[in-house]
């Protein structure tokens, strides 16, 4: 009996030490620890292969949460230190897909519900599995509510279970749910790529078949991407594009980004590689198509058509080829000049896009003057400084080489009021990428613009489709003056939306002065007087443009019609409507955008569409970009666009799943999109 007392006295400190040390439990097949606001459990089961699976059960109290392996903007994930006596390789924990947990401006990734983590361990040989135990795991984790508390535990398991042990049905369901939530390997039928967009964000693209509308992306590296929810830019069954801001802690541009992609009910581990080449090729293709379609615009078509006829009068094919090349060079160089002007303004802090130039009254006035003079020249009213090549300056009336080059310059200038389909996304890419990529995009825009003329005049056999030059050309040339006059009238209407009534009167006075100078010139044959009139015309043109540079804006109050009720766009109004769960149709437009006005007259203001908007109680917001508006420019940029028209529809109750419509609308497509 005395010996037993001595043995007990020696053993007692060890027993009490184990009980009183926080977070330490007895070695057993399932080991657990109950902390102040969370519970953790460790167990191990055998797998069919020569391996075992460890599971860690983390159960925060209601209202509390624990963190994913990338905790997000704050917090710390579970840290594990394994200790075993025999050679056993324990892999990293596999984590089920987390949820976003918002706390003020902070976005965290974690679990506010019980979750299982899984780690596979592979013994060197099957016979060493039993000798690998006991296994000791030292855990440290953070559990948070409004405040955060660190917790720790040391759990030991010394045997392998045949199957998981659950204390209740809820825990069993959590086990099955966690297994289902584990990301699968990469799906070979889905291609994911990204590119840098500007200086502060990345653009991601998912391509595949039958893509679901619901998606999310969780980056594993906490220092590359912001943890905010991806901003959807485009969604269809074949392609999803979204944008994620760059992390404020990121100092490099990665070649790849690792994360978990959630698509509908499936989750996949992905290693997303920089796919700049794919984005680049698409931008080139869209720029080329946009250039082709520019030829159909009323402001460009007359000039290009007459350029083709001018080349048809040259019998020498070598000369035709040379002048065609110089014409292309003129278009290319002046498109590049326009690109660098955009870059210069952007570097100065301007938020701009295609159409930005039409927000400037002086520039619109110069366009009015150019189209007015071109119309007079084609009508035969004037002959100085203009040739059939379409240039409005005397340089184009020189020998063929100079004339061809500066004809290309004029083609670019008269194209600036027009926006063709496909141009918007291509130019947005060009202005957000490096100089080399931007120049390439504008080069393909130039190539598309000149290709019809160059093809007709330089491909054998195609030149025959044009009628032979003859007296009919004068009649046709005079006819083409009227589209130019019409463009000038439309630009004057645009000017009236930009500036006040006094500024519009100045433009009309300048037109009257120009007609008077033309009349005086026709009444005299003095060469000196002709030069004086030309100088006076040039001074009046530049002086008027300078005087109009700071024209007071037209003071108008936007009024929606009862037939098509809309509200003026503001970010606050859009957010308010989306918070209320309303369906919202947002459209970006401008008075100087021909495509915008065509869509409004033929589609948006039609009876069918107006009745549908009213019957479904869809809020309509109009963002009018006629005048410079930083808020609208910023909103366009947030959608990855820098031109109008642009149309966005938010279905009721889905503020994070907008749908984007094409540049050219039709009633059937619009109504189908609104009904889905």
């Amino acid at each position: 009996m005395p010996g037993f007392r001595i043995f007990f006295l020696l053993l007692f400190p060890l027993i009490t030490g184990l009980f009183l040390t926080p977070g330490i439990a007895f070695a057993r097949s399932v080991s657990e620890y109950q902390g102040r606001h969370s519970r953790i459990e460790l167990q191990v089961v055998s797998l069919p292969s020569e391996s075992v699976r460890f599971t860690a059960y983390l159960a925060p109290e209601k209202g509390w949460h624990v963190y994913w392996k990338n905790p997000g903007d704050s917090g710390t994930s579970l840290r594990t230190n394994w200790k075993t006596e025999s050679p056993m390789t324990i892999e990293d924990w596999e984590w089920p897909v987390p949820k976003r947990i918002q706390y003020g401006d902070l976005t965290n990734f974690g679990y506010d519900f019980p979750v299982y983590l899984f780690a596979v361990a592979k013994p060197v040989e099957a016979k060493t599995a039993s000798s690998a135990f006991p296994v000791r795991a030292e855990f440290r984790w953070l559990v948070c509510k409004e405040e955060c508390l660190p917790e720790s535990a040391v759990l030991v398991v010394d045997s392998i279970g045949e199957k998981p042990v659950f204390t209740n049905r809820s825990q069993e369901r959590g086990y099955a749910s966690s297994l289902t939530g584990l990301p699968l390997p990469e799906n070979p039928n889905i291609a994911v790529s990204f590119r840098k967009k500007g200086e502060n964000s990345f653009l991601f693209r998912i391509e595949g078949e039958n893509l679901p509308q619901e998606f999310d992306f969780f980056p594993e590296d906490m220092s590359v991407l912001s943890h905010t929810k991806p901003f959807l830019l485009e969604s269809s069954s074949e392609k999803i594009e979204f944008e994620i801001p760059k992390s404020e802690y990121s100092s490099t541009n990665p070649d790849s980004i690792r994360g978990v992609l959630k698509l509908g009910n499936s989750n996949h581990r992905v290693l997303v590689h920089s796919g700049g080449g794919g984005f680049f090729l698409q931008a080139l293709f869209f720029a080329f198509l946009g250039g082709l379609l520019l030829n159909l615009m009323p402001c460009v078509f007359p000039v290009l058509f007459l350029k083709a006829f001018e080349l048809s009068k040259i019998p020498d094919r070598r000369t035709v080829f040379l002048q065609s090349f110089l014409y292309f060079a003129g278009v290319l160089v002046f498109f590049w000049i326009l690109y660098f002007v955009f870059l210069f303004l952007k570097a100065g802090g301007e938020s701009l896009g295609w159409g930005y130039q039409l927000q400037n009254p002086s520039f619109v006035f110069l366009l009015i003057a150019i189209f007015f003079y071109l119309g007079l020249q084609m009508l035969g009213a004037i002959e100085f400084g203009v040739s059939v090549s379409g240039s409005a300056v005397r340089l184009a009336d020189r020998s063929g080489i100079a004339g061809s080059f500066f004809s290309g310059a004029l083609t670019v200038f008269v194209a600036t009021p027009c926006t063709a389909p496909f141009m918007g996304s291509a130019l947005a890419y060009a202005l957000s990428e490096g100089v080399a990529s931007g120049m390439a995009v504008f080069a393909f825009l130039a190539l598309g613009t000149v290709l019809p003329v160059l093809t007709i005049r330089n491909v054998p056999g195609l030149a025959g489709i044009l009628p032979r030059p003859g007296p009919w050309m004068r009649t046709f040339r005079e006819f083409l003056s009227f589209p130019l006059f019409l463009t000038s009238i439309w630009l004057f209407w645009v000017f009236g939306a930009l500036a006040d009534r006094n500024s519009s009167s100045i433009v009309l006075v300048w037109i009257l002065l120009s007609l008077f100078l033309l009349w005086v010139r026709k009444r005299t044959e003095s060469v000196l007087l002709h030069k004086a009139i030309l100088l006076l015309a040039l001074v009046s043109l530049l002086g008027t443009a300078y005087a109009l540079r700071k024209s007071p804006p037209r003071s108008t109050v936007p009024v929606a019609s009862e037939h098509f009720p809309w509200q003026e766009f503001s970010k606050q109004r859009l957010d308010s409507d989306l918070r209320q769960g309303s369906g919202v149709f947002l459209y970006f437009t401008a008075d100087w955008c021909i495509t915008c006005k065509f869509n409004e007259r033929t589609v948006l203001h039609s009876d069918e569409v107006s009745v549908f908007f009213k019957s479904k109680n869809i809020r309509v917001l109009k963002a009018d970009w006629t005048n410079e508006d930083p808020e609208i420019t910023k909103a366009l940029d947030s959608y990855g666009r820098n031109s109008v028209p642009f149309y966005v529809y938010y279905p009721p109750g889905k503020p994070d799943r907008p749908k984007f419509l094409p540049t050219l609308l039709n009633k059937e497509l619009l109504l189908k999109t609104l009904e889905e």
Side-chain angles (χ1 to χ4, degrees):
M1 193 71 175
F4 175 76
R5 289 177 180 174
I6 294 173
F7 176 75
F8 180 77
L9 289 174
L10 292 174
L11 189 62
F12 179 76
L14 177 63
I15 296 175
T16 55
L18 288 173
F19 272 107
L20 296 177
T21 301
I24 296 184
F26 282 113
R28 49 189 174 180
S29 57
V30 179
S31 187
E32 61 186 47
Y33 166 71
Q34 178 63 53
R36 293 177 59 185
H37 297 289
S38 63
R39 177 169 170 258
I40 190 169
E41 180 181 293
L42 176 69
Q43 60 178 299
V44 59
V45 296
S46 61
L47 295 177
S49 58
E50 293 181 357
S51 59
V52 294
R53 173 187 283 157
F54 287 90
T55 63
Y57 177 67
L58 264 177
E61 284 185 4
K62 186 176 181 180
W64 293 72
H65 61 267
V66 292
Y67 293 94
W68 189 51
K69 58 181 173 181
N70 172 9
D73 291 336
S74 63
T76 303
S77 61
L78 178 72
R79 298 288 186 265
T80 309
N81 184 24
W82 299 98
K83 291 187 178 180
T84 177
E85 298 298 330
S86 64
M88 174 183 283
T89 303
I90 303 178
E91 298 179 355
D92 293 335
W93 290 112
E94 295 182 72
W95 302 71
V97 175
K99 65 177 292 187
R100 276 186 169 77
I101 300 173
Q102 203 71 31
Y103 187 76
D105 294 333
L106 301 178
T107 301
N108 297 321
F109 301 147
Y111 314 93
D112 55 4
F113 51 86
V115 66
Y116 278 90
L117 311 182
F118 306 91
V120 174
K122 296 180 179 180
V124 177
E125 297 178 3
K127 62 183 180 180
T128 64
S130 58
S131 63
F133 290 85
V135 173
R136 176 187 175 97
E138 299 174 355
F139 293 107
R140 290 179 292 116
W141 70 99
L142 198 64
V143 58
C144 296
K145 192 178 182 181
E146 293 181 356
E147 68 277 8
C148 291
L149 297 175
E151 298 200 326
S152 62
V154 177
L155 303 183
V156 181
V157 289
D158 61 359
S159 62
I160 304 174
E162 294 183 0
K163 59 181 181 179
V165 177
F166 308 108
T167 58
N168 52 57
R169 294 296 300 275
S170 176
Q171 194 173 351
E172 185 176 359
R173 288 193 296 268
Y175 184 88
S177 176
S178 296
L179 273 179
T180 305
L182 289 179
L184 302 172
E186 292 193 49
N187 187 340
N189 298 320
I190 296 175
V192 188
S193 58
F194 80 94
R195 72 170 176 89
K196 183 183 175 185
K197 181 187 174 188
E199 295 296 326
N200 300 312
S201 65
F202 294 94
L203 180 66
F204 288 77
R205 176 182 293 169
I206 306 170
E207 295 177 292
E209 295 182 357
N210 301 319
L211 297 176
Q213 290 189 359
E214 301 295 328
F215 81 97
D216 207 339
F217 183 75
F218 301 92
E220 293 188 1
D221 191 329
M222 62 186 300
S223 62
V224 175
L225 298 177
S226 164
H227 302 113
T228 57
K229 195 163 188 177
F231 185 82
L232 180 65
L233 296 175
E234 183 177 345
S235 177
S236 68
S237 59
E238 290 82 29
K239 183 174 69 174
I240 297 174
E241 284 191 355
F242 59 90
E243 181 180 348
I244 301 180
K246 186 178 181 180
S247 171
E248 59 181 312
Y249 304 106
S250 177
S251 58
T252 60
N253 295 316
D255 295 325
S256 61
I257 297 175
R258 189 180 299 275
V260 174
L261 177 65
K262 181 177 178 63
L263 278 177
N265 296 322
S266 64
N267 312 302
H268 297 273
R269 292 190 299 270
V270 291
L271 179 61
V272 189
H273 295 282
S274 176
F279 290 95
F280 178 61
L281 292 177
Q282 177 181 290
L284 295 182
F285 180 65
F286 280 178
F288 178 74
L289 286 181
L292 282 176
L293 293 174
L294 270 180
N295 291 281
L296 302 178
M297 298 296 171
C299 49
V300 180
F301 175 75
V303 175
L304 296 182
F305 192 84
L306 290 176
K307 180 62 186 178
F309 272 113
E310 182 200 10
L311 292 174
S312 70
K313 297 189 297 182
I314 303 174
D316 183 19
R317 295 197 58 82
R318 184 177 179 181
T319 305
V320 169
F321 178 80
L322 176 61
Q323 292 197 19
S324 298
F325 173 78
L326 289 171
Y327 174 66
F328 169 64
V331 173
L332 177 63
V333 168
F334 279 84
F335 262 128
W336 278 348
I337 290 175
L338 190 62
Y339 168 65
F340 282 107
V341 168
F342 280 156
L343 287 188
F344 177 77
L345 293 173
K346 187 177 180 182
E350 297 282 356
S351 297
L352 48 87
W354 190 264
Y356 170 87
Q357 66 276 13
L358 293 176
Q359 297 173 346
N360 186 304
S362 294
F363 186 84
V364 175
F365 165 71
L366 290 175
L367 285 175
I368 293 172
I370 290 292
F371 283 103
F372 176 66
Y373 272 126
L374 280 174
L376 289 176
Q377 187 274 331
M378 289 189 179
L379 199 58
I382 55 175
E383 297 296 338
F384 64 95
V386 184
S387 70
V388 179
S389 65
S391 176
V393 294
R394 182 168 292 276
L395 287 168
D397 218 17
R398 288 183 178 179
S399 59
I401 293 179
S404 293
F405 182 82
F406 286 98
S407 293
L410 179 70
T411 300
V412 175
F413 194 78
V414 299
T416 54
C418 302
T419 303
F422 304 106
M423 280 179 58
S425 58
L427 298 183
Y429 176 90
L431 295 175
S432 65
E433 293 297 310
V435 173
S437 298
M439 291 180 68
V441 171
F442 272 74
F444 271 74
L445 180 62
L447 179 61
T449 303
V450 302
L451 186 63
V453 171
L454 301 190
T455 302
I456 290 174
R457 294 313 312 155
N458 292 277
V459 176
L462 290 182
I465 68 175
L466 292 176
R468 291 184 177 277
W472 69 271
M473 283 189 61
R474 182 173 183 83
T475 302
F476 189 69
R477 172 186 171 185
E478 292 174 355
F479 171 78
L480 288 179
S481 67
F482 293 99
L484 297 174
F485 284 134
L486 186 61
T487 302
S488 189
I489 292 172
W490 167 71
L491 287 168
F492 180 75
W493 178 77
V494 170
F495 185 90
L498 295 174
D500 63 357
R501 183 178 299 177
N502 291 335
S503 300
S504 299
S505 300
I506 291 175
V507 176
L508 293 176
V509 170
W510 177 86
I511 292 175
L512 180 61
L513 175 63
S514 299
L515 293 174
F516 174 75
L517 291 176
L518 289 176
W519 176 77
V520 172
R521 184 181 181 276
K522 281 184 174 291
R523 303 290 294 181
T524 180
E525 296 181 359
S526 170
V527 176
L528 183 61
L529 187 58
H530 285 186
K531 291 183 178 180
I533 290 174
L534 181 60
L535 179 61
L536 181 59
L538 182 61
V539 170
S540 68
L541 176 68
L542 298 179
T544 304
Y546 181 80
L548 294 173
R549 75 192 190 284
K550 293 184 178 180
S551 299
R554 182 183 177 187
S555 56
T556 58
V557 178
V559 178
S561 66
E562 294 183 2
H563 179 72
F564 185 72
W566 52 265
Q567 292 180 303
E568 192 173 359
F569 165 80
S570 70
K571 185 67 167 60
Q572 294 77 9
R573 180 170 287 158
L574 174 62
D575 292 341
S576 175
D577 289 343
L578 294 178
R579 281 195 301 268
Q580 295 173 17
S582 304
V584 178
F585 181 79
L586 168 62
Y587 72 103
F588 295 82
T589 183
D591 286 347
W592 38 259
C593 172
I594 299 176
T595 308
C596 302
K597 295 306 173 185
F598 177 80
N599 288 338
E600 290 168 22
R601 292 297 179 93
T602 60
V603 179
L604 294 182
H605 295 173
S606 64
D607 292 337
E608 301 94 316
V609 172
S610 298
V611 169
F612 189 89
F613 277 133
K614 292 178 182 178
S615 64
K616 299 296 183 180
N617 197 27
I618 296 174
R619 309 283 179 85
V620 180
L621 299 182
K622 176 181 177 181
D624 191 341
W625 206 36
T626 301
N627 290 288
E628 184 179 358
D629 189 319
E631 184 178 18
I632 294 177
T633 305
K634 185 177 180 180
L636 272 172
D637 185 65
S638 71
Y639 293 106
R641 303 298 197 276
N642 70 348
S643 62
V644 292
F646 180 57
Y647 306 97
V648 188
Y649 173 58
Y650 291 89
K654 296 183 178 180
D656 57 343
R657 291 293 178 267
K659 297 181 179 181
F660 305 96
L661 287 88
T663 301
L664 287 174
L665 292 180
N666 62 71
K667 296 177 188 177
E668 293 73 19
L669 175 63
L670 176 60
L671 293 176
K672 181 181 178 181
T673 303
L674 297 176
E675 287 175 348
E676 289 179 351

